[in-house]
Amino acid sequence: MTTRTVFGACPHDCPDTCALQVTVEDERVIKVQGRAEHPNTHGALCTKVSRYPERTYHAERLLHPLKRVSKKTEAPQFVQVTWAEALADIAAKLKAIPDPQAIQPYSYAGTMGLIQGEAMAGRLWNALGAARLDRTICASAGGAGLAATYGHKLGMHTRHFAGAKLIVIWGSNSITSNLHFWTYANQAKREGAKLICIDPRKTETADKCHQHIAVLPGTDGALALGLMHELIQNDGLDQDYIDHHVDGWDELRAKALAWPPERAAEVCGITADEVRGLARDYATIKPAAIRMNYGLQRVRGGGNAVRLIALLPCLTGAWRHESGGALLSASGWNAPFKNANLERPDLLAGRNPRMVNMSTIGDALLAPASPEFGPRIEALVVYNSNPVAVAPESPKVVKGFQREDLFTVVLEHFMTDTADLADYVLPATTQLEHLDVHTSYGHTDVLMNQPAIAPLGEAKTNTQIFRELAAAMGLTDPAFSDSDEELAAQAFTADIDMALLREQGWQPLPIPEAPFAQGGFRTPNGRAQAGGADFVPNYESVQTSPELAARYPLAMISPPARNFLNSSFVNVKSLRDIESEPIIEMHADDAAARQLADGTRVAAFNDRGRYVATLKVSKRARPGVVNGLGVWWRKLGVQGTNVNEVTHQRLTDMGNAPAFYDCLVQVEAA
C-alpha cells in the first residue's frame, strides 16, 4: 500500500478558494481536507467539498464520449462512441457553419481555474471568430457597481473582519456560502463585536447574529439611503475623508436627505426604528465592516444597491482602519498579476464577433437571424456550466435547447439537465485529475492545483479536448500546442513565483492591510465616485407593477440550498439526502391566508411558468416573501422543473446581469 499527499485548490464558485490536501492511497483518492497551513482555509472545508471523492468516483460519472440517438423532445438516449469519431463529427459540423458567429460557446464557473476555464477554450473561439459570451449570470451587477465606485472589484481583507466591532452581513448566508469569513466573524463576535444580518430570509447566519433586519427583496439601496440620511442628520460623517477621497458627495447628499427613516422603512418593509438603530450602530461602533454577497444584486437595481452600500464606509471613514470598510469581491486585486493575453485575443485577427449575454440565452436560442442579432445560433458548446438548470426563465431555455437544428456539445462530469439535451456529451476531468491555477474573489492568494490521480476512464481535461478539437478543425497555430504546464506558466506576470506555487501551493499578493486608509481608489483620480448612485426599484413589485402584484402578490427569492453550490453537488446522494427534496418556504400568515398546510405540495406560478415543490411553513420566510431554495436539477424536481421556471430574463441596471430575485408569484395547492 502506497500513500501520498497532493496539494490542490477548490475550483468552485465560492469566495473562499480553499487550499486542499488530497490523500491518495494506491492511486485512489480517499480523503480531501482543507490545508491547516493556509491562512484563509485553516484546515476547514465545507461539507460539499469534503465529499469530493464521492463526486469523482460517483457511479454515474461520465467516462466515455456519448452521441445522441433520440429526438430532443424525447427521453434522452445516447450511445458510446470513440473520441476520434466524436471529434471528427463535431469538427465537421462546426466547419460547415458559414458564419462562425453562429457558433456560441457557453461557460461559467464550473471551475474557477484559469487553465481549465478559458485558457485553451478562449484560443479556439478567438481563432474561429465564434460569438463571444457575456458572462453575467452571477456577479456582474455587483462587479459593475464596485467598479463604478472604487474603480475595480476591491475590498478589505477577509481576515481583518476578526478585528471589527460591528459586522454588517448584507445579503449573505455566510455560514453556508462563505464559511471562512464566518470563522473570522464568529471570532469577532466572541470578542464582543455586534453582528447584524440584513436579508429577506432568516438564514442560518441570521440565527447566529445579534439582529436580523428582514428587508423586502430589492430594497437594499433604499435602506442604504436611509442610513445616509441618519448619518447626515446625526453627525455621523467623516467629513475630512469625504472631502479628500470622495467625488459626487453633494449630489448623493441631496438624494439621501429625501430618504428619512419612515420612507426607507416603508419601501423596505421594516420599521423606522430599525433604520435609525442600524444607522446609530454604524456611526458609533468602530471599526465597522460590511460583508456583502451577491444575493442583494440579483434584482433590477442590484448595481446601484452595491454602489450605495459600498459608499457607506467612505462616508464614515471606516476605511481608515484595517478592520473597517466593505467587501463584496476582492478579485480586482489580482487583476494586475494576471496575463490579459492568456486566451490569445490576437487570434481574432481584427474581427469583432457579436456578444451574447448568457443570462438571456433562452431568448437568444429562439431568436431568428436579423440585422440586429446576426445569424441564428446554429451550434452551442457548453462547458463548466449547466444552463438548462441555472439560466433564468427555463421554459424558453429548454425550448431553445430542444431545437433539432441546433447542434449542441456538452463537456461534463454527469448527465445534467443540459447534457440530456446535447448531441454529443464529452467526459471531462474533475479537479482531482488535472492541473490548474486559481485566483480568488474572497481573499488575496494565488493557488495551484496539482492532479492527484490520472483521469478516470476516457475523461480528458478541458484543455486537451479543445486542443484536439482545434486539430480536428485544421487549426495549426502554435497556441494550440501549449501544455497545461506551459499555460500555467503563462497565466501570471513575473510577480508570481511559479516555483513557490508548486512547492507551497499558494502565494499571497502584496496588498496593503488597510488599502484605502488614505484613499487611493482605482478610479482615474483615486477618489471614490458617488455621482449617479441612486435607488432603483424592482421590475416586479407593488410599487412599480401594481396590476401584476394584484395577481401575483408574493415576492420570491431563490437562494442556494445549504448543501448545493449552484447546480453542482445536486447529484451527490449524501448531500441530496440532507436537503431531502425541493421546498418552498412560506411564512405562517401567508400559508394560512391560502389554506396551505406544511408538508403539502404547492405550486409557485406566474405568467412565465409553474414550479411545484413541497411547502415548508417556516420562520425563515418573512411575510410577503417566499423562498424557493435552489438550484435543483430540473429532472430531480417534482414535475421536471426547478425554481427558474418562474424567473425572468430582464437585466439589472448595471452589468447586464439577471434579476433572479426580482420575481412575483402566487402560491396555491398543487
Side-chain angles (χ1 to χ4, degrees):
M1 180 182 296
T2 60
T3 302
R4 56 190 174 87
T5 300
V6 180
F7 293 154
C10 177
H12 290 288
D13 189 1
C14 168
D16 292 17
T17 317
C18 293
L20 305 181
Q21 179 173 303
V22 182
T23 303
V24 182
E25 188 175 281
D26 289 343
E27 298 310 308
R28 184 179 178 88
V29 174
I30 61 169
K31 188 184 297 183
V32 175
Q33 300 167 283
R35 290 188 62 189
E37 315 95 298
H38 184 239
N40 194 70
T41 305
H42 44 71
L45 285 184
C46 68
T47 304
K48 301 177 281 286
V49 176
S50 64
R51 303 190 189 200
Y52 214 85
E54 183 179 347
R55 188 174 189 276
T56 295
Y57 295 113
H58 197 292
E60 297 172 359
R61 173 83 187 275
L62 288 168
L63 299 176
H64 308 282
L66 301 176
K67 180 179 180 179
R68 179 176 213 92
V69 293
S70 60
K71 291 183 178 180
K72 293 180 182 177
T73 53
E74 299 174 346
Q77 296 182 42
F78 292 84
V79 296
Q80 183 177 325
V81 295
T82 66
W83 271 105
E85 179 183 348
L87 290 170
D89 194 21
I90 294 167
K93 286 185 167 58
L94 295 183
K95 288 172 69 175
I97 295 173
D99 187 339
Q101 294 182 102
I103 302 171
Q104 181 63 60
Y106 193 104
S107 64
Y108 197 63
T111 176
M112 298 289 284
L114 302 185
I115 307 310
Q116 305 303 333
E118 302 301 328
M120 190 58 68
R123 296 180 182 198
L124 177 59
W125 310 134
N126 287 336
L128 293 178
R132 294 171 295 161
L133 183 70
D134 196 4
R135 293 181 171 85
T136 62
I137 202 161
C138 179
S140 62
L146 284 181
T149 310
Y150 297 162
H152 217 310
K153 292 180 281 188
L154 306 170
M156 59 185 287
H157 291 279
T158 304
R159 63 181 180 275
H160 289 322
F161 280 91
K165 293 304 178 185
L166 175 70
I167 300 176
V168 180
I169 302 173
W170 204 320
S172 176
N173 189 4
S174 304
I175 288 177
T176 71
S177 63
N178 196 185
L179 176 64
H180 297 87
F181 156 75
W182 178 251
T183 302
Y184 293 121
N186 211 28
Q187 179 183 336
K189 181 183 177 184
R190 290 194 300 269
E191 295 175 6
K194 183 174 184 178
L195 273 58
I196 300 174
C197 179
I198 303 172
D199 199 301
R201 182 174 182 257
K202 193 174 191 298
T203 62
E204 294 86 348
T205 303
D207 290 341
K208 302 295 184 181
C209 291
H210 296 96
Q211 182 182 7
H212 173 221
I213 300 175
V215 296
L216 288 168
T219 63
D220 305 272
L223 177 56
L225 284 166
L227 299 182
M228 292 178 189
H229 178 281
E230 291 300 278
L231 293 174
I232 295 166
Q233 297 287 17
N234 296 290
D235 198 27
L237 302 174
D238 184 334
Q239 195 62 50
D240 179 72
Y241 195 92
I242 294 171
D243 291 344
H244 286 90
H245 306 305
V246 180
D247 279 347
W249 167 237
D250 288 344
E251 175 193 330
L252 181 59
R253 184 180 186 278
K255 292 175 182 175
L257 286 173
W259 282 89
E262 290 75 16
R263 181 187 179 192
E266 182 179 5
V267 170
C268 296
I270 58 178
T271 68
D273 283 344
E274 286 177 298
V275 180
R276 293 189 189 96
L278 178 59
R280 182 172 58 250
D281 285 344
Y282 190 67
T284 59
I285 304 175
K286 300 181 179 182
I290 300 173
R291 181 60 169 111
M292 291 181 272
N293 215 334
Y294 288 108
L296 70 91
Q297 50 98 71
R298 294 190 176 119
V299 292
R300 178 191 179 193
N304 267 282
V306 168
R307 289 205 68 196
L308 292 166
I309 297 167
L311 284 162
L312 288 169
C314 301
L315 305 185
T316 62
W319 280 116
R320 294 186 188 276
H321 196 289
E322 66 179 21
S323 291
L327 175 63
L328 172 62
S329 172
S331 64
W333 292 123
N334 58 60
F337 301 93
K338 292 166 67 174
N339 176 9
N341 296 313
L342 182 62
E343 298 170 28
R344 295 291 301 275
D346 58 296
L347 295 172
L348 279 167
R351 294 168 294 183
N352 186 29
R354 72 170 171 201
M355 179 84 77
V356 170
N357 191 325
M358 70 185 307
S359 299
T360 55
I361 191 64
D363 283 342
L365 288 175
L366 298 174
S370 69
E372 297 76 25
F373 182 66
R376 193 176 200 197
I377 296 174
E378 296 184 48
L380 188 65
V381 181
V382 180
Y383 52 104
N384 301 333
S385 189
N386 183 12
V388 174
V390 304
E393 201 169 353
S394 53
K396 288 186 176 180
V397 180
V398 171
K399 187 176 180 181
F401 268 82
Q402 286 178 332
R403 283 174 41 204
E404 290 296 340
D405 63 342
L406 176 71
F407 179 64
T408 303
V409 179
V410 175
L411 284 61
E412 253 300 350
H413 304 141
F414 301 101
M415 290 302 296
T416 63
D417 293 329
T418 304
D420 281 345
L421 292 170
D423 293 286
Y424 278 97
V425 184
L426 305 179
T429 49
T430 69
Q431 188 76 346
L432 300 181
E433 301 159 275
H434 57 229
L435 178 74
D436 218 329
V437 291
H438 294 259
T439 56
S440 174
Y441 62 90
H443 59 74
T444 54
D445 292 347
V446 172
L447 297 90
M448 175 173 277
N449 182 80
Q450 298 284 357
I453 54 173
L456 300 186
E458 292 186 278
K460 295 179 185 283
T461 63
N462 284 355
T463 47
Q464 188 60 21
I465 293 171
F466 289 117
R467 282 188 201 99
E468 294 184 13
L469 182 56
M473 297 189 73
L475 301 175
T476 59
D477 192 285
F480 299 109
S481 300
D482 287 340
S483 67
D484 285 8
E485 284 282 355
E486 289 169 324
L487 292 171
Q490 296 168 26
F492 301 111
T493 66
D495 301 277
I496 302 301
D497 186 338
M498 296 303 294
L500 177 63
L501 271 188
R502 291 187 183 91
E503 178 183 351
Q504 179 174 276
W506 77 86
Q507 177 183 340
L509 300 177
I511 309 302
E513 296 301 300
F516 305 129
Q518 302 298 325
F521 295 95
R522 292 283 181 88
T523 54
N525 66 359
R527 295 163 65 92
Q529 301 297 305
D534 204 354
F535 171 62
V536 178
N538 279 5
Y539 288 115
E540 299 190 356
S541 70
V542 173
Q543 291 76 25
T544 60
S545 49
E547 292 183 4
L548 185 70
R551 291 189 292 136
Y552 304 118
L554 296 169
M556 190 187 76
I557 60 173
S558 45
R562 180 169 186 170
N563 292 284
F564 302 155
L565 200 162
N566 300 323
S567 73
S568 299
F569 298 98
V570 178
N571 66 318
V572 175
K573 187 177 185 302
S574 63
L575 295 172
R576 195 167 71 247
D577 286 347
I578 298 171
E579 292 298 331
S580 179
E581 59 183 338
I583 64 169
I584 294 173
E585 295 174 340
M586 177 181 275
H587 191 273
D589 292 349
D590 292 326
R594 292 162 177 78
Q595 298 182 313
L596 299 174
D598 181 72
T600 59
R601 289 278 168 83
V602 297
F605 64 96
N606 55 26
D607 292 338
R608 294 178 290 272
R610 183 179 179 89
Y611 171 53
V612 176
T614 297
L615 178 66
K616 187 170 186 179
V617 178
S618 171
K619 292 181 180 178
R620 297 211 181 279
R622 60 153 288 160
V625 180
V626 293
N627 311 318
L629 302 186
V631 178
W632 285 78
W633 289 5
R634 289 170 56 86
K635 63 183 174 182
L636 296 175
V638 175
Q639 293 186 352
T641 63
N642 70 13
V643 72
N644 279 319
E645 198 77 3
V646 296
T647 56
H648 58 74
Q649 295 179 75
R650 298 174 80 176
L651 301 178
T652 54
D653 54 345
M654 304 171 68
N656 296 316
F660 286 111
Y661 298 178
D662 185 339
C663 177
L664 290 179
V665 299
Q666 179 60 286
V667 177
E668 65 182 14

